[in-house]
């Protein structure tokens, strides 16, 4: 599915659950609910816009943000890859709950509310996970400079910004820095 230049679409929610790519390149998509990426790839590039999104849920597949920025109320990553140079800002709750939650590319994910890590998180290609709220690390390793789904480029940052709280409630997890 491609939303072309000048076209627009609106929906309450959108779920991708096949191997096909959905490309938003110069068109406009308004979602008042949640974008669910269960399989396949959703690409936001060019001058495409995705607005009014209340939530983003990734269970597999990929979300590619060229240089576009998204602001969502909630974010749940239980698989898949978030990639690109764009920024995802989460204003309320976020959770990372999978055997592999990968984020790649030089963009960043900004957590402003209450967030948890209860699974494997991998940041690669300069990706930054920035906590401005309260982030609780419950279980699972955090890998900086590693991509479990492809070639590792190196570089990843976990940043607890001024005013943020980073709670470590695990005795068995590790933070791994890859070369």
């Amino acid at each position: 599915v491609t939303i072309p230049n000048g076209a627009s679409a609106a929906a309450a929610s959108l779920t991708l659950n096949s191997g096909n790519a959905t490309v938003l390149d110069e068109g406009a998509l308004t979602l008042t609910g949640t974008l669910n990426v269960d399989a396949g790839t959703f690409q936001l590039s060019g001058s495409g816009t995705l607005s009014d999104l209340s939530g983003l849920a990734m269970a597999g597949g990929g979300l590619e943000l060229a240089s576009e920025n998204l602001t969502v109320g909630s974010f749940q990553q239980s698989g898949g890859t978030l990639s690109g140079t764009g920024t995802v800002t989460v204003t309320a709750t976020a959770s990372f709950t999978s055997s592999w939650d990968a984020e790649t590319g030089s963009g960043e994910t900004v957590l402003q509310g209450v967030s948890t890590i209860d699974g494997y998180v991998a940041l690669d290609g300069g990706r930054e996970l920035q906590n401005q709220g309260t982030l609780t690390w419950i279980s699972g390793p955090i890998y900086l400079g590693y991509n479990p789904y492809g070639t590792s480029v190196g570089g990843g940052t976990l940043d607890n910004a001024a005013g943020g709280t980073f709670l470590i409630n695990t005795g068995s997890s590790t933070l791994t820095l890859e070369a």
Side-chain angles (χ1 to χ4, degrees):
V1 174
T2 299
I3 299 175
N5 185 15
S8 64
S13 294
L14 177 65
T15 299
L16 261 64
N17 56 15
S18 72
N20 298 326
T22 298
V23 179
L24 186 58
D25 180 27
E26 300 180 357
L29 178 60
T30 301
L31 292 176
T32 57
T34 301
L35 173 61
N36 299 289
V37 181
D38 295 338
T41 302
F42 188 92
Q43 299 170 340
L44 182 61
S45 61
S47 60
T49 59
L50 180 60
S51 61
D52 296 338
L53 194 62
S54 66
L56 174 60
M58 297 184 64
L63 175 61
E64 297 176 8
L65 301 175
S67 60
E68 289 69 24
N69 300 322
L70 287 179
T71 299
V72 297
S74 65
F75 175 66
Q76 179 183 12
Q77 189 170 3
S78 58
T81 302
L82 174 62
S83 63
T85 60
T87 298
V88 174
T89 301
V90 184
T91 59
T93 61
S95 63
F96 301 86
T97 59
S98 177
S99 57
W100 280 116
D101 296 328
E103 298 196 0
T104 64
S106 61
E108 64 182 336
T109 302
V110 179
L111 309 174
Q112 296 179 331
V114 176
S115 305
T116 58
I117 295 174
D118 193 6
Y120 288 57
V121 174
L123 305 173
D124 190 37
R127 190 77 188 185
E128 179 178 340
L129 181 62
Q130 183 184 94
N131 175 49
Q132 297 176 355
T134 300
L135 175 60
T136 303
W137 183 15
I138 298 168
S139 71
I142 300 171
Y143 290 89
L144 304 178
Y146 177 66
N147 181 354
Y149 299 117
T151 302
S152 295
V153 176
T157 302
L158 177 61
D159 177 19
N160 192 60
T165 301
F166 184 51
L167 303 172
I168 301 173
N169 288 347
T170 180
S172 61
S173 294
T174 57
L175 178 64
T176 303
L177 308 174
E178 296 289 322

